[in-house]
Amino acid sequence: MLMIMSKVEAVNIILSAIGGAPVDTLDDNDDVDVDNILRLIDRVSRDIQLKGWDFNTCSLVLTPDALSHKIMWNDSILKFTSSDGHTYAKRGAYLFDMTDGTFVFDNSITLQVIMAVDFEDLPQTFANYVTAKAALEFQTRYMGDGDVSQDLVRELQETEQELVTYDLSMGNYNMLQVTGVAAALNRT
């Protein structure tokens, strides 16, 4: 049965790109290459997700604790904006209202957030991109083989094209709604 890519499979794809032996598990692994690959996968995944996509952007209601009236910070939030005119920031384990200078909230607040999604929960297109980008970065940093880098660059370009296709098919884009186009269409 064909399944989406797991993190172990992504690590093995990167290891095979540098001629390394595959691993069966990521638990209790003593291989420094595997540790470096995992760090790269996580960083590349965060970087691409930070741009905000249909699968990780949403409206999130944060409710203060009944006793302390503080709002506990959600560590999955990569980026957020508020629509209530207030400026908020993470301070320690809590949300801080910078506009009013307080940790205390009387009511729930709603934020537009970009949430971090685990590798296994990414759409396949993004898992492919993260794997290709991490493979290229790992090979460039630790191996430095120009021929392998060329192959990995080509593979990365293909996955970037898949990202564009994914975004175009999932987004509700209309050229006639782009700034300036409507004005040009209404000229007399």
Side-chain angles (χ1 to χ4, degrees):
M1 181 166 123
L2 190 60
M3 298 172 57
I4 62 169
M5 185 185 318
S6 68
K7 207 170 200 178
V8 173
E9 186 179 354
V11 168
N12 285 333
I13 288 170
I14 296 169
L15 286 171
S16 72
I18 62 161
V23 295
D24 294 328
T25 180
L26 300 178
D27 301 327
D28 300 325
N29 198 312
D30 295 333
D31 190 340
V32 70
D33 284 343
V34 172
D35 291 339
N36 288 330
I37 289 169
L38 287 171
R39 276 193 291 281
L40 279 172
I41 287 172
D42 289 342
R43 188 190 56 73
V44 170
S45 183
R46 260 191 315 276
D47 289 350
I48 191 67
Q49 289 186 53
L50 193 56
K51 294 179 181 182
W53 302 87
D54 67 304
F55 66 88
N56 73 335
T57 303
C58 64
S59 187
L60 183 66
V61 176
L62 300 175
T63 305
D65 178 72
L67 297 175
S68 68
H69 294 285
K70 292 182 177 181
I71 295 177
M72 185 73 102
W73 180 254
N74 181 335
D75 286 329
S76 294
I77 297 173
L78 294 174
K79 189 176 175 181
F80 66 92
T81 58
S82 68
S83 57
D84 63 4
H86 285 242
T87 302
Y88 301 106
K90 175 189 182 286
R91 295 285 186 265
Y94 297 98
L95 187 68
F96 183 72
D97 184 340
M98 295 185 65
T99 305
D100 293 339
T102 184
F103 284 101
V104 178
F105 293 85
D106 294 325
N107 299 308
S108 297
I109 62 166
T110 302
L111 300 176
Q112 284 301 114
V113 298
I114 297 174
M115 302 290 286
V117 175
D118 289 334
F119 183 85
E120 284 82 6
D121 296 328
L122 290 174
Q124 187 63 47
T125 303
F126 286 84
N128 291 343
Y129 172 83
V130 169
T131 303
K133 177 106 168 141
L136 178 61
E137 287 188 21
F138 182 82
Q139 199 288 133
T140 303
R141 283 185 190 177
Y142 300 108
M143 308 309 277
D145 185 335
D147 292 334
V148 174
S149 286
Q150 286 180 349
D151 291 340
L152 293 174
V153 165
R154 181 190 49 74
E155 197 171 315
L156 179 60
Q157 289 171 341
E158 289 175 8
T159 61
E160 286 173 335
Q161 290 172 352
E162 290 174 15
L163 283 182
V164 171
T165 301
Y166 173 90
D167 190 40
L168 288 173
S169 67
M170 297 302 287
N172 187 18
Y173 302 116
N174 184 341
M175 187 181 112
L176 299 177
Q177 294 174 343
V178 175
T179 305
V181 172
L185 291 174
N186 288 331
R187 341 177 252 207
T188 56

